[in-house]
PDB file of all heavy atoms in Angstrom:
ATOM      1  N   ALA A  59       8.100   1.633  -1.328  1.00  0.00           N
ATOM      2  CA  ALA A  59       8.265   0.742  -2.446  1.00  0.00           C
ATOM      3  C   ALA A  59       7.045   0.815  -3.390  1.00  0.00           C
ATOM      4  O   ALA A  59       5.900   0.850  -2.912  1.00  0.00           O
ATOM      5  CB  ALA A  59       8.423  -0.721  -2.002  1.00  0.00           C
ATOM      6  N   SER A  60       7.340   0.934  -4.681  1.00  0.00           N
ATOM      7  CA  SER A  60       6.259   1.065  -5.663  1.00  0.00           C
ATOM      8  C   SER A  60       6.593   0.243  -6.916  1.00  0.00           C
ATOM      9  O   SER A  60       7.739   0.278  -7.376  1.00  0.00           O
ATOM     10  CB  SER A  60       6.093   2.544  -6.094  1.00  0.00           C
ATOM     11  OG  SER A  60       5.847   3.389  -4.972  1.00  0.00           O
ATOM     12  N   VAL A  61       5.604  -0.443  -7.448  1.00  0.00           N
ATOM     13  CA  VAL A  61       5.757  -1.078  -8.752  1.00  0.00           C
ATOM     14  C   VAL A  61       5.485  -0.024  -9.812  1.00  0.00           C
ATOM     15  O   VAL A  61       4.462   0.682  -9.786  1.00  0.00           O
ATOM     16  CB  VAL A  61       4.747  -2.245  -8.935  1.00  0.00           C
ATOM     17  CG1 VAL A  61       4.868  -2.825 -10.323  1.00  0.00           C
ATOM     18  CG2 VAL A  61       5.002  -3.318  -7.881  1.00  0.00           C
ATOM     19  N   THR A  62       6.421   0.151 -10.743  1.00  0.00           N
ATOM     20  CA  THR A  62       6.269   1.172 -11.764  1.00  0.00           C
ATOM     21  C   THR A  62       5.570   0.569 -12.971  1.00  0.00           C
ATOM     22  O   THR A  62       5.401  -0.654 -13.085  1.00  0.00           O
ATOM     23  CB  THR A  62       7.635   1.724 -12.186  1.00  0.00           C
ATOM     24  OG1 THR A  62       8.381   0.676 -12.816  1.00  0.00           O
ATOM     25  CG2 THR A  62       8.393   2.247 -10.980  1.00  0.00           C
ATOM     26  N   GLY A  65       6.986  -2.365 -14.681  1.00  0.00           N
ATOM     27  CA  GLY A  65       7.113  -3.600 -13.914  1.00  0.00           C
ATOM     28  C   GLY A  65       8.294  -3.615 -12.994  1.00  0.00           C
ATOM     29  O   GLY A  65       8.475  -4.580 -12.201  1.00  0.00           O
ATOM     30  N   LYS A  66       9.105  -2.580 -13.026  1.00  0.00           N
ATOM     31  CA  LYS A  66      10.250  -2.504 -12.108  1.00  0.00           C
ATOM     32  C   LYS A  66       9.771  -1.990 -10.762  1.00  0.00           C
ATOM     33  O   LYS A  66       8.676  -1.449 -10.614  1.00  0.00           O
ATOM     34  CB  LYS A  66      11.352  -1.627 -12.694  1.00  0.00           C
ATOM     35  CG  LYS A  66      11.925  -2.167 -13.968  1.00  0.00           C
ATOM     36  CD  LYS A  66      12.956  -1.223 -14.574  1.00  0.00           C
ATOM     37  CE  LYS A  66      13.483  -1.791 -15.896  1.00  0.00           C
ATOM     38  NZ  LYS A  66      14.460  -0.859 -16.541  1.00  0.00           N
ATOM     39  N   VAL A  67      10.622  -2.131  -9.743  1.00  0.00           N
ATOM     40  CA  VAL A  67      10.251  -1.729  -8.380  1.00  0.00           C
ATOM     41  C   VAL A  67      11.115  -0.568  -7.959  1.00  0.00           C
ATOM     42  O   VAL A  67      12.358  -0.637  -7.962  1.00  0.00           O
ATOM     43  CB  VAL A  67      10.452  -2.901  -7.391  1.00  0.00           C
ATOM     44  CG1 VAL A  67      10.171  -2.447  -5.949  1.00  0.00           C
ATOM     45  CG2 VAL A  67       9.488  -4.063  -7.758  1.00  0.00           C
ATOM     46  N   LEU A  68      10.454   0.540  -7.617  1.00  0.00           N
ATOM     47  CA  LEU A  68      11.120   1.719  -7.083  1.00  0.00           C
ATOM     48  C   LEU A  68      11.231   1.600  -5.588  1.00  0.00           C
ATOM     49  O   LEU A  68      10.211   1.422  -4.892  1.00  0.00           O
ATOM     50  CB  LEU A  68      10.352   2.971  -7.496  1.00  0.00           C
ATOM     51  CG  LEU A  68      10.895   4.303  -6.997  1.00  0.00           C
ATOM     52  CD1 LEU A  68      12.254   4.636  -7.655  1.00  0.00           C
ATOM     53  CD2 LEU A  68       9.884   5.436  -7.226  1.00  0.00           C
ATOM     54  N   MET A  69      12.440   1.731  -5.050  1.00  0.00           N
ATOM     55  CA  MET A  69      12.685   1.622  -3.595  1.00  0.00           C
ATOM     56  C   MET A  69      13.255   2.945  -3.140  1.00  0.00           C
ATOM     57  O   MET A  69      14.359   3.324  -3.567  1.00  0.00           O
ATOM     58  CB  MET A  69      13.638   0.464  -3.303  1.00  0.00           C
ATOM     59  CG  MET A  69      13.206  -0.849  -3.854  1.00  0.00           C
ATOM     60  SD  MET A  69      14.478  -2.137  -3.659  1.00  0.00           S
ATOM     61  CE  MET A  69      13.762  -3.482  -4.564  1.00  0.00           C
ATOM     62  N   TRP A  88      16.447   3.551  -5.360  1.00  0.00           N
ATOM     63  CA  TRP A  88      16.952   2.531  -6.265  1.00  0.00           C
ATOM     64  C   TRP A  88      15.805   1.993  -7.137  1.00  0.00           C
ATOM     65  O   TRP A  88      14.648   2.130  -6.764  1.00  0.00           O
ATOM     66  CB  TRP A  88      17.525   1.337  -5.475  1.00  0.00           C
ATOM     67  CG  TRP A  88      18.572   1.677  -4.469  1.00  0.00           C
ATOM     68  CD1 TRP A  88      19.927   1.704  -4.640  1.00  0.00           C
ATOM     69  CD2 TRP A  88      18.360   2.034  -3.102  1.00  0.00           C
ATOM     70  NE1 TRP A  88      20.565   2.041  -3.478  1.00  0.00           N
ATOM     71  CE2 TRP A  88      19.619   2.255  -2.506  1.00  0.00           C
ATOM     72  CE3 TRP A  88      17.217   2.175  -2.297  1.00  0.00           C
ATOM     73  CZ2 TRP A  88      19.784   2.588  -1.181  1.00  0.00           C
ATOM     74  CZ3 TRP A  88      17.364   2.552  -0.963  1.00  0.00           C
ATOM     75  CH2 TRP A  88      18.637   2.761  -0.450  1.00  0.00           C
ATOM     76  N   LEU A  89      16.193   1.414  -8.284  1.00  0.00           N
ATOM     77  CA  LEU A  89      15.249   0.805  -9.205  1.00  0.00           C
ATOM     78  C   LEU A  89      15.689  -0.610  -9.444  1.00  0.00           C
ATOM     79  O   LEU A  89      16.817  -0.856  -9.894  1.00  0.00           O
ATOM     80  CB  LEU A  89      15.169   1.598 -10.489  1.00  0.00           C
ATOM     81  CG  LEU A  89      13.979   1.319 -11.410  1.00  0.00           C
ATOM     82  CD1 LEU A  89      12.676   1.675 -10.717  1.00  0.00           C
ATOM     83  CD2 LEU A  89      14.108   2.102 -12.697  1.00  0.00           C
ATOM     84  N   TRP A  90      14.769  -1.565  -9.208  1.00  0.00           N
ATOM     85  CA  TRP A  90      15.101  -3.004  -9.295  1.00  0.00           C
ATOM     86  C   TRP A  90      14.173  -3.675 -10.326  1.00  0.00           C
ATOM     87  O   TRP A  90      12.976  -3.454 -10.326  1.00  0.00           O
ATOM     88  CB  TRP A  90      14.918  -3.672  -7.933  1.00  0.00           C
ATOM     89  CG  TRP A  90      15.170  -5.149  -7.898  1.00  0.00           C
ATOM     90  CD1 TRP A  90      16.310  -5.835  -8.152  1.00  0.00           C
ATOM     91  CD2 TRP A  90      14.212  -6.165  -7.488  1.00  0.00           C
ATOM     92  NE1 TRP A  90      16.159  -7.137  -7.953  1.00  0.00           N
ATOM     93  CE2 TRP A  90      14.889  -7.391  -7.555  1.00  0.00           C
ATOM     94  CE3 TRP A  90      12.878  -6.125  -7.072  1.00  0.00           C
ATOM     95  CZ2 TRP A  90      14.212  -8.597  -7.218  1.00  0.00           C
ATOM     96  CZ3 TRP A  90      12.236  -7.297  -6.747  1.00  0.00           C
ATOM     97  CH2 TRP A  90      12.909  -8.528  -6.859  1.00  0.00           C
ATOM     98  N   PRO A  92      12.581  -7.078 -11.240  1.00  0.00           N
ATOM     99  CA  PRO A  92      12.341  -8.440 -10.721  1.00  0.00           C
ATOM    100  C   PRO A  92      12.688  -9.542 -11.728  1.00  0.00           C
ATOM    101  O   PRO A  92      12.848 -10.698 -11.328  1.00  0.00           O
ATOM    102  CB  PRO A  92      10.857  -8.424 -10.417  1.00  0.00           C
ATOM    103  CG  PRO A  92      10.442  -7.010 -10.316  1.00  0.00           C
ATOM    104  CD  PRO A  92      11.354  -6.270 -11.248  1.00  0.00           C
ATOM    105  N   LEU A 374       5.197  -6.191  -2.051  1.00  0.00           N
ATOM    106  CA  LEU A 374       4.499  -5.837  -3.287  1.00  0.00           C
ATOM    107  C   LEU A 374       4.166  -7.064  -4.090  1.00  0.00           C
ATOM    108  O   LEU A 374       4.985  -7.999  -4.182  1.00  0.00           O
ATOM    109  CB  LEU A 374       5.395  -4.924  -4.154  1.00  0.00           C
ATOM    110  CG  LEU A 374       5.656  -3.504  -3.636  1.00  0.00           C
ATOM    111  CD1 LEU A 374       6.786  -2.889  -4.473  1.00  0.00           C
ATOM    112  CD2 LEU A 374       4.411  -2.658  -3.736  1.00  0.00           C
ATOM    113  N   LEU A 376       4.095  -8.697  -7.505  1.00  0.00           N
ATOM    114  CA  LEU A 376       4.857  -8.514  -8.758  1.00  0.00           C
ATOM    115  C   LEU A 376       4.046  -9.064  -9.948  1.00  0.00           C
ATOM    116  O   LEU A 376       3.135  -9.868  -9.808  1.00  0.00           O
ATOM    117  CB  LEU A 376       6.216  -9.249  -8.668  1.00  0.00           C
ATOM    118  CG  LEU A 376       7.135  -8.734  -7.569  1.00  0.00           C
ATOM    119  CD1 LEU A 376       8.423  -9.575  -7.542  1.00  0.00           C
ATOM    120  CD2 LEU A 376       7.469  -7.258  -7.760  1.00  0.00           C
ATOM    121  N   LEU A 384      10.488  -6.628   1.479  1.00  0.00           N
ATOM    122  CA  LEU A 384      11.678  -5.785   1.451  1.00  0.00           C
ATOM    123  C   LEU A 384      11.832  -5.039   2.775  1.00  0.00           C
ATOM    124  O   LEU A 384      10.856  -4.680   3.408  1.00  0.00           O
ATOM    125  CB  LEU A 384      11.564  -4.723   0.336  1.00  0.00           C
ATOM    126  CG  LEU A 384      11.327  -5.273  -1.102  1.00  0.00           C
ATOM    127  CD1 LEU A 384      10.751  -4.175  -1.976  1.00  0.00           C
ATOM    128  CD2 LEU A 384      12.624  -5.789  -1.696  1.00  0.00           C
TER     129      LEU A 384
END
Side-chain angles (χ1 to χ4, degrees):
S60 304
V61 177
T62 65
K66 297 177 182 178
V67 176
L68 178 67
M69 306 173 187
W88 306 268
L89 195 63
W90 178 62
L374 291 167
L376 298 177
L384 303 160

